[in-house]
Amino acid sequence: MKALTSRDIRKEFLKYFQDKGHTLCPSDGLIPAHDPTLLFTTAGMVQFKPLWAGGELPYKRAVSIQKCLRAGGKGSDLENVGKTLRHHTFFEMLGNFSFGDYFKKEAIQWAWEFVVNVLEIPKEKLWVSIFEADEEADKIWRKYINESRIVRLGIEDNFWGPAGNAGACGPCSEMYIDLGPGKGCSKSSCAVGCDCERYLEFWNIVFPQYFQDESGTRGPLQRRGIDTGLGLERLATILQGVENNYETDLFRPIVKEILKHCPKDIQYPDNERHKVSVHVIADHIRTLVFTISENIIPSNEGRGYVIRRILRRALRHARMLGITECLLVDLVQGVVKQMSEAYPHLKETEEHVKKVIRAEENSFALVLSAGLEVLESLIAELRSQKQKVLPGDKIFYLYDTLGFPVDLIKDITADEGFVMDEKGFQRLMDAQKERARAGWQGDKNAQQDEVFKALAKELPVNEFIRDKGLVIETKILALVKDGQVVDEVQAPDIPENKTRPIPSVDVDMILEETPFYPKGGGQIGDTGHIKMTQGEFFVLGTRRVGDKIILHTGNVRGGSFKKGDTVKAIVNKERRAKIMSHHTVTHILQAVLQECIDKNIKQAGSYVGDERLRFDFSHFEALSAEQITKVERRVNELIKKDDTVTEKNLLLKEAKALGAMALFGEKYAEKVRMISIGEFSKELCGGTHVAHANEIGQFRIVSEKSVAAGIRRIEAIAGKAAEDDLKRKKEKVHELAKDLEIPVYEDISVNLVFKIEPKKNYLGNIAEYRQEKVNSEKKKISDLIASIKLVSQEVPKSLFEAQQALKEREKNLAKEGKNLVKKTAEDICHDVFKVNSVQCVASQVTVSDVPQLRLMMDAIKKKLKSGIFVLGAEIASKGVLLVGVSKDCLKTGYHAGRIVAALAKEAGGSGGGKPELAQAGVPDVSRLEHVVSNAKSIIKNTK
């Protein structure tokens, strides 16, 4: 048996099948490029699904090493990771494929030759399984292996596919290696197919010969073929002679780094729990590095939710190992070093990955802190009620709302002598999964496109034509109405009452060639008209279906259209011009962000429309007002420079060599289109653009905000919309300045010139201002400064001086407020009464806000140390109740949440909270005094 590194295994596999006439295909991204029904790429065959179904064949044989991720969807291995020695979330699948070319005979022969002759794995250790009804495979295998080592298994084990809701599927044959009795379960029934570790399946050879639709119905596959999957991690374990995947060169450096961070008492690999945790972290960090490098960012929905769950699962296991500091970010470099030779993009995205993980680790530290606080409060409440079961809805709240791991909840409750209502929790989880399943339907258009996929097999490719202008003559290839292909569409008769809306017929139209740009690359589709002498079709949207069809969606409002008619296609020129301006300035914006903010910024999504643009990018801090001004100014400088915008068609590798930016994870053809704006910006792009930068006009940033951890979003406008926006912002400056009695003078340039002559002497008369007045003036000046920053390069110094003076007065008022609170608290403590030998106070007080009320509560607790404390106050025209209970009183059964709820109910309000401190609202403030005066009897009855 050859002792090969993972690098050598990849090399040997690719060479063997390239020598057999297979075309080398690069790995697809972890987000499937052509299958919206899948969360992630789960197998090597995913990128080839269209080829078995009749798509255009660029080759008949292919070989690849595919990055795969099985987590969060069909075929998820997440829960098995760490518990077995063979399951992973992220893994590499080596595969050879045939599309209507060779079939079982060659696939079995070459698999056997590669394993036995190239890898030199001993024949006597090999077993194979086949589908129980596959006589053809049985006959072929007998040429290479004794029939006693051929095992027939049922549909659950040896029938594969489809990947997703529909696609190619068929029987399969698997190769196993017998690792010996020492790895087995010692049962007399132990054999191939057993769940123990003795018989390790390492190569699955699938014979796709059926197509299964979304209803589960199977029919003959248009091109039967071969789809194989050989797990690199498992093969490395076999060839490197180690006990499990985590001891191979793929994982060993990561495990070593994890152990450096562990406390000295961690017993790896001897302690089973410690071993599981180390393996989970080692597996999950690889997943995180690869997914985040493709801009799959942790979030609360879809793919991002799965990645966040994986990250937090890894952090939980780190905590179980006693690691409390940030760990995962320190493991990134090791993964990149190990894997970047095979996947060079990892070096380019390393800093981006680190930033995302660091932000998530810091964020989850807060989640853990918040979750522990809530859980400890729940346990104290249950203990006071002499309950021993943590309710399912509370577990669900901790897990779903706070992101607190269920396993950690289980550990803590067990340590405290409680059990979990797991059935109640599971019911809520099942209900949530059902809602998520209903919501996750992939691209809704994709589910409605079966009729167009069928048409694609019959029709020639219809092209988007760039160079014939926005008006061309073309022919109708097909018409679809109400989901059915029709030969003719007739508009309804126009009603005699012309005041009523003109009736229309909704139709999808396919043209021989089209000047309408189909939605794609973030750019919306064109609109316009399709005309002929006897009819008019209003195009409301344009999009692609697959690779061949461009679909024009709209309605017929006059006359009729037939298949084969010659028509005039007319794009809305004004709308297209606005879209082109927004698309070109998006390219400039990305280059400016990299120049002015951070060279590691990468695009994470975009929307290019006629009214606005949206640009999502990887970054971990909000842009300051100064940074936004700098970016906006630099973009406008480049627009005024008026560079020529050029396009060039060239090979992908040539474009990258010229420095062209590409979206990682995007599937590009061998030939690409590069858009250059002078020497400043080069991007791969299929969209429409202006010819010269100055055609864009004025550029304005409307907003900048966070949309996910590590992802920021800029919304912006260009052209006339930007000019109108600037005009509105200038008017706002004048309005705010007038309110502050500050004259504003404007010159003829885009900026404002200010002369500040305040009639109010903020610095001299500040002592006259009380809190309400300070807050009002502060807000006005802050609003004015913010508005000025949106339109001018400088803010007058005197405004900042006025703002600073108000801040100083605010500090003095806060100090005065604290002294007043302390004095009031001391007075309240003189009016103690007792309930069941417990000292209590109840008082209505005057404060400015809730923080000041809580400050007063703290002062009373500090003074009296033990007791029950009730405070009421009118704040912002509403009644507020605050109840505090000292720790010693908690032990006797008193609970602030129950007391405040009873008090609030008496006044028609509601509230609750923790055992030691709780708050409630009283809508009718006139009833507050009555409630506070009755506190004694209410406390007495709520123990």
Side-chain angles (χ1 to χ4, degrees):
M1 190 154 50
K2 278 188 179 178
L4 299 178
T5 64
S6 54
R7 176 181 179 275
D8 292 335
I9 295 170
R10 294 189 192 102
K11 185 178 177 182
E12 291 279 6
F13 183 82
L14 294 176
K15 181 180 184 304
Y16 179 82
F17 282 99
Q18 283 180 282
D19 289 346
K20 298 291 183 186
H22 291 64
T23 297
L24 173 60
C25 297
S27 173
D28 203 2
L30 288 171
I31 298 178
H34 303 295
D35 192 342
T37 68
L38 285 174
L39 270 175
F40 301 106
T41 298
T42 55
M45 58 81 66
V46 169
Q47 68 168 310
F48 302 117
K49 284 174 73 172
L51 303 188
W52 284 298
E56 186 178 345
L57 273 181
Y59 36 72
K60 288 190 173 183
R61 299 178 180 184
V63 61
S64 72
I65 299 175
Q66 175 64 49
K67 298 171 293 181
C68 297
L69 179 56
R70 292 185 182 173
K74 183 179 178 181
S76 172
D77 284 334
L78 182 58
E79 300 306 326
N80 289 321
V81 171
K83 296 176 183 176
T84 74
L85 303 179
R86 63 186 186 277
H87 288 99
H88 297 289
T89 48
F90 171 85
F91 59 96
E92 295 175 80
M93 186 177 284
L94 288 62
N96 57 291
F97 306 89
S98 163
F99 315 103
D101 189 38
Y102 65 86
F103 199 45
K104 295 182 184 179
K105 178 175 174 288
E106 294 85 352
I108 292 172
Q109 176 189 342
W110 292 340
W112 181 264
E113 287 179 357
F114 180 71
V115 169
V116 174
N117 298 344
V118 177
L119 302 181
E120 299 176 5
I121 296 176
K123 298 178 187 180
E124 60 273 14
K125 290 190 174 185
L126 297 175
W127 289 70
V128 298
S129 66
I130 61 171
F131 180 51
E132 57 191 358
D134 194 346
E135 299 299 335
E136 183 182 3
D138 180 68
K139 184 178 179 181
I140 297 168
W141 274 118
R142 289 186 186 211
K143 296 178 182 178
Y144 306 101
I145 193 168
N146 190 285
E147 62 180 294
S148 64
R149 289 178 173 266
I150 302 172
V151 179
R152 292 176 183 257
L153 296 174
I155 197 166
E156 289 295 320
D157 296 292
N158 276 69
F159 194 96
W160 198 92
N165 297 333
C169 59
C172 66
S173 185
E174 296 175 316
M175 295 187 74
Y176 294 78
I177 185 169
D178 182 358
L179 298 176
K183 286 284 188 179
C185 57
S186 301
K187 294 178 183 176
S188 58
S189 60
C190 185
V192 168
C194 182
D195 287 335
C196 73
E197 306 283 351
R198 175 174 177 175
Y199 296 96
L200 180 66
E201 181 264 312
F202 62 93
W203 200 344
N204 189 5
I205 306 163
V206 183
F207 312 120
Q209 58 192 81
Y210 305 109
F211 180 87
Q212 180 174 306
D213 63 24
E214 291 185 359
S215 71
T217 304
R218 292 188 192 129
L221 192 61
Q222 186 160 344
R223 296 189 185 111
R224 72 176 191 177
I226 293 297
D227 154 30
T228 82
L230 172 59
L232 176 63
E233 291 77 8
R234 295 187 189 185
L235 190 54
T237 296
I238 295 167
L239 296 177
Q240 292 174 20
V242 293
E243 290 292 311
N244 58 68
N245 296 2
Y246 297 95
E247 295 180 13
T248 66
D249 62 344
L250 290 164
F251 286 95
R252 196 164 49 244
I254 304 171
V255 169
K256 188 176 179 180
E257 187 63 32
I258 294 167
L259 293 175
K260 285 181 184 177
H261 289 74
C262 289
K264 292 181 179 179
D265 60 349
I266 292 300
Q267 298 171 2
Y268 176 87
D270 299 329
N271 182 295
E272 189 62 27
R273 287 186 65 186
H274 294 170
K275 183 169 72 172
V276 168
S277 290
V278 170
H279 289 177
V280 166
I281 297 167
D283 171 90
H284 288 6
I285 188 59
R286 296 197 333 149
T287 298
L288 295 169
V289 170
F290 274 89
T291 52
I292 296 170
S293 75
E294 295 189 23
N295 264 327
I296 307 172
I297 305 299
S299 67
N300 288 329
E301 59 186 14
R303 296 180 176 99
Y305 175 76
V306 176
I307 302 310
R308 175 164 284 167
R309 184 183 171 201
I310 288 171
L311 188 147
R312 291 184 168 183
R313 192 168 186 263
L315 290 176
R316 179 178 67 80
H317 279 277
R319 190 181 182 93
M320 290 167 67
L321 290 170
I323 303 171
T324 55
E325 75 275 11
C326 287
L327 166 69
L328 300 182
V329 71
D330 292 337
L331 303 179
V332 173
Q333 185 177 2
V335 176
V336 171
K337 184 178 179 181
Q338 176 67 24
M339 304 295 284
S340 58
E341 183 180 351
Y343 303 99
H345 74 275
L346 294 179
K347 279 188 177 178
E348 300 168 18
T349 58
E350 182 177 351
E351 289 307 311
H352 167 58
V353 172
K354 284 180 178 178
K355 286 179 179 178
V356 172
I357 290 178
R358 185 180 290 110
E360 282 291 314
E361 286 199 84
N362 290 333
S363 171
F364 190 52
L366 297 175
V367 169
L368 277 176
S369 176
L372 284 170
E373 186 176 343
V374 172
L375 182 54
E376 287 167 1
S377 175
L378 286 170
I379 288 172
E381 185 176 349
L382 289 170
R383 185 170 279 127
S384 71
Q385 297 169 359
K386 296 182 170 49
Q387 300 290 323
K388 285 291 182 181
V389 179
L390 184 63
D393 62 328
K394 303 298 183 186
I395 304 166
F396 185 78
Y397 171 76
L398 283 161
Y399 173 74
D400 190 63
T401 304
L402 300 183
F404 204 67
V406 175
D407 288 350
L408 195 54
I409 299 170
K410 196 170 187 177
D411 290 343
I412 294 168
T413 51
D415 290 344
E416 295 289 337
F418 288 79
V419 294
M420 290 172 42
D421 173 18
E422 295 190 50
K423 287 184 179 179
F425 169 68
Q426 195 56 51
R427 279 195 299 271
L428 292 167
M429 283 297 294
D430 291 342
Q432 184 201 54
K433 285 177 183 176
E434 198 55 47
R435 290 193 297 272
R437 195 175 291 116
W440 173 256
Q441 300 171 357
D443 185 330
K444 289 184 179 178
N445 284 330
Q447 298 185 20
Q448 301 165 2
D449 286 349
E450 290 306 316
V451 63
F452 302 118
K453 289 177 182 176
L455 277 171
K457 296 175 184 178
E458 304 170 10
L459 300 177
V461 176
N462 55 312
E463 299 285 354
F464 166 58
I465 306 299
R466 298 179 186 275
D467 54 4
K468 292 186 181 180
L470 300 181
V471 181
I472 69 167
E473 277 200 353
T474 183
K475 284 187 177 181
I476 298 175
L477 293 182
L479 295 162
V480 177
K481 177 187 172 188
D482 299 328
Q484 300 293 320
V485 178
V486 295
D487 291 328
E488 182 179 4
V489 176
Q490 179 82 38
D493 294 332
I494 298 175
E496 293 181 12
N497 181 359
K498 299 263 179 106
T499 61
R500 292 174 57 193
I502 297 174
S504 61
V505 177
D506 294 337
V507 177
D508 292 306
M509 185 182 290
I510 300 169
L511 303 175
E512 188 173 51
E513 56 182 21
T514 179
F516 290 85
Y517 178 81
K519 177 183 176 183
Q523 180 176 326
I524 60 174
D526 280 331
T527 61
H529 297 76
I530 295 172
K531 291 184 176 181
M532 54 188 300
T533 306
Q534 70 272 28
E536 184 171 20
F537 177 78
F538 283 70
V539 181
L540 304 178
T542 314
R543 67 183 177 92
R544 282 192 184 276
V545 180
D547 297 326
K548 292 179 65 175
I549 288 180
I550 296 174
L551 201 64
H552 307 78
T553 299
N555 48 60
V556 177
R557 298 186 190 176
S560 64
F561 289 88
K562 294 179 182 178
K563 177 182 176 181
D565 280 347
T566 297
V567 294
K568 186 175 284 186
I570 308 164
V571 175
N572 184 326
K573 182 179 179 180
E574 184 179 339
R575 183 175 180 271
R576 166 73 81 82
K578 291 177 181 177
I579 294 169
M580 291 194 301
S581 290
H582 280 144
H583 202 152
T584 306
V585 82
T586 300
H587 286 215
I588 296 174
L589 175 60
Q590 177 167 210
V592 168
L593 285 168
Q594 291 172 339
E595 177 191 67
C596 297
I597 307 299
D598 186 342
K599 66 180 182 180
N600 294 308
I601 280 175
K602 302 287 183 186
Q603 181 176 339
S606 67
Y607 168 86
V608 177
D610 55 327
E611 296 182 351
R612 63 187 174 89
L613 69 90
R614 183 182 72 225
F615 185 75
D616 295 346
F617 58 100
S618 56
H619 196 58
F620 294 84
E621 298 171 342
L623 300 191
S624 66
E626 290 75 16
Q627 287 176 316
I628 291 172
T629 300
K630 184 178 180 181
V631 168
E632 190 177 271
R633 190 183 306 144
R634 179 62 173 144
V635 170
N636 281 310
E637 284 174 4
L638 290 165
I639 289 171
K640 288 177 183 176
K641 190 181 175 187
D642 198 24
D643 281 324
T644 301
V645 180
T646 60
E647 66 173 81
K648 186 176 182 180
N649 295 309
L650 66 172
L651 294 175
L652 178 60
K653 61 183 180 181
E654 293 173 344
K656 287 186 175 180
L658 291 170
M661 282 190 285
L663 274 177
F664 190 81
E666 189 77 14
K667 195 76 173 174
Y668 293 101
E670 189 176 349
K671 274 201 165 185
V672 293
R673 178 171 176 259
M674 182 176 73
I675 299 295
S676 300
I677 306 169
E679 292 299 315
F680 190 75
S681 170
K682 289 183 175 67
E683 283 193 42
L684 303 185
C685 180
T688 60
H689 292 271
V690 299
H692 296 274
N694 206 30
E695 294 174 33
I696 295 167
Q698 183 69 226
F699 170 78
R700 305 291 296 172
I701 293 175
V702 176
S703 68
E704 190 275 341
K705 60 185 179 183
S706 170
V707 290
I711 299 294
R712 308 294 302 178
R713 171 173 293 171
I714 284 177
E715 292 188 345
I717 47 180
K720 188 174 184 304
E723 292 164 12
D724 292 343
D725 180 69
L726 179 60
K727 182 181 177 183
R728 285 193 299 272
K729 284 180 171 133
K730 285 182 178 181
E731 289 170 353
K732 182 68 175 176
V733 170
H734 283 279
E735 180 187 324
L736 290 166
K738 184 179 179 182
D739 191 33
L740 283 164
E741 301 175 34
I742 297 174
V744 178
Y745 304 99
E746 190 173 347
D747 67 3
I748 57 172
S749 73
V750 73
N751 294 308
L752 300 177
V753 175
F754 296 95
K755 182 180 178 184
I756 304 300
E757 297 174 348
K759 293 184 179 178
K760 299 170 184 170
N761 186 348
Y762 292 99
L763 298 174
N765 302 325
I766 200 71
E768 299 173 9
Y769 284 79
R770 300 304 296 169
Q771 185 67 54
E772 188 175 341
K773 185 71 171 175
V774 169
N775 287 342
S776 173
E777 295 291 300
K778 241 180 80 180
K779 185 176 187 311
K780 286 179 183 179
I781 291 180
S782 294
D783 289 347
L784 177 58
I785 290 172
S787 294
I788 291 171
K789 285 180 177 178
L790 293 174
V791 294
S792 178
Q793 296 180 14
E794 293 183 16
V795 177
K797 184 180 177 183
S798 52
L799 276 183
F800 287 120
E801 289 173 347
Q803 191 179 46
Q804 188 59 39
L806 287 166
K807 285 180 180 178
E808 286 298 319
R809 179 57 187 146
E810 188 175 38
K811 284 182 184 177
N812 291 336
L813 286 170
K815 189 175 180 181
E816 290 173 17
K818 282 184 180 180
N819 292 334
L820 181 62
V821 163
K822 186 177 179 182
K823 177 71 171 61
T824 305
E826 287 176 354
D827 292 342
I828 290 170
C829 291
H830 292 306
D831 296 323
V832 172
F833 59 90
K834 290 196 175 183
V835 175
N836 298 327
S837 302
V838 176
Q839 61 180 351
C840 305
V841 294
S843 180
Q844 185 167 343
V845 297
T846 301
V847 292
S848 60
D849 51 30
V850 172
Q852 205 170 61
L853 186 65
R854 288 179 175 245
L855 195 66
M856 190 173 289
M857 177 64 74
D858 291 341
I860 292 169
K861 281 186 173 182
K862 188 175 181 181
K863 180 77 174 175
L864 293 179
K865 293 186 173 52
S866 172
I868 298 170
F869 322 112
V870 178
L871 294 177
E874 181 181 343
I875 299 172
S877 302
K878 291 182 181 179
V880 177
L881 286 166
L882 192 65
V883 175
V885 176
S886 62
K887 288 185 179 180
D888 60 316
C889 291
L890 291 176
K891 296 175 182 177
T892 62
Y894 288 105
H895 189 291
R898 290 199 296 274
I899 295 171
V900 85
L903 288 165
K905 187 177 180 182
E906 186 86 3
S910 62
K914 298 176 183 178
E916 67 275 13
L917 186 67
Q919 182 178 316
V922 178
D924 185 355
V925 73
S926 66
R927 301 179 67 180
L928 189 63
E929 185 178 355
H930 168 72
V931 171
V932 173
S933 64
N934 280 344
K936 184 173 182 178
S937 62
I938 292 171
I939 293 170
K940 189 174 182 180
N941 295 320
T942 53
K943 183 174 179 180

